[in-house]
């Protein structure tokens, strides 16, 4: 994961070849305003919900997530869009106004 004034990129590994090449995705957010890194235990409210869609690396959280929690705590009237980048063991919740771009990526296992 990298974050700078140019945006945020979350690299997700999907498979490893016999040669040690990792294939995955770069999930890029041009306008991320906040993010948090979560391990599996912290994700219970997401993966236990009936609306959790399995098998996709990026999901938009439409209700009941971090964005709603922050809106209630801080008195926001306008809801912010929330995205969840899902991996096998940890995930990243991102607040961003626009949807992320996804690009295939490949790198060598070190």
């Amino acid at each position: 994961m990298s974050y700078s004034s140019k945006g945020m990129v979350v690299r997700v590994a999907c498979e490893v070849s016999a040669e040690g090449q990792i294939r995955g995705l770069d999930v890029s957010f041009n306008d991320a305003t906040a993010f948090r890194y979560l391990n599996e235990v912290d994700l219970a409210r997401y993966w236990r919900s009936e609306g959790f869609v399995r098998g996709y690396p990026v999901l938009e959280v439409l209700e009941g997530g971090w964005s709603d929690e922050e809106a209630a705590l801080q008195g926001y009237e306008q809801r912010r869009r929330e995205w969840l980048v899902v991996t096998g063991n940890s995930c990243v919740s991102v607040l961003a106004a626009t949807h992320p771009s996804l690009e295939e990526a490949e790198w060598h296992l070190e």
Side-chain angles (χ1 to χ4, degrees), residues 37-108:
Y37 180 86
L38 304 162
N39 73 24
E40 198 171 284
V41 174
D42 298 319
L43 291 170
R45 78 167 125 183
Y46 294 102
W47 53 259
R48 288 180 35 186
S49 85
E50 291 180 19
F52 187 81
V53 180
R54 299 187 190 292
Y56 294 92
V58 181
L59 303 170
E60 183 172 10
V61 179
L62 298 176
E63 63 182 335
W66 180 35
S67 178
D68 284 352
E69 180 182 291
E70 287 300 312
L73 289 172
Q74 297 185 31
Y76 292 140
E77 292 190 23
Q78 185 174 4
R79 189 178 177 285
R80 297 178 286 178
R81 291 178 82 180
E82 178 181 353
W83 305 91
L84 188 64
V85 181
V86 181
T87 73
N89 57 7
S90 297
C91 300
V92 181
S93 182
V94 180
L95 300 181
T98 60
H99 61 83
S101 63
L102 281 72
E103 186 175 314
E104 290 184 6
E106 191 170 312
W107 62 98
H108 189 72

Side-chain angles (χ1 to χ4, degrees), residues 24-35:
L25 296 170
D26 282 343
V27 182
S28 301
F29 296 89
N30 292 328
D31 60 354
T33 57
F35 66 91

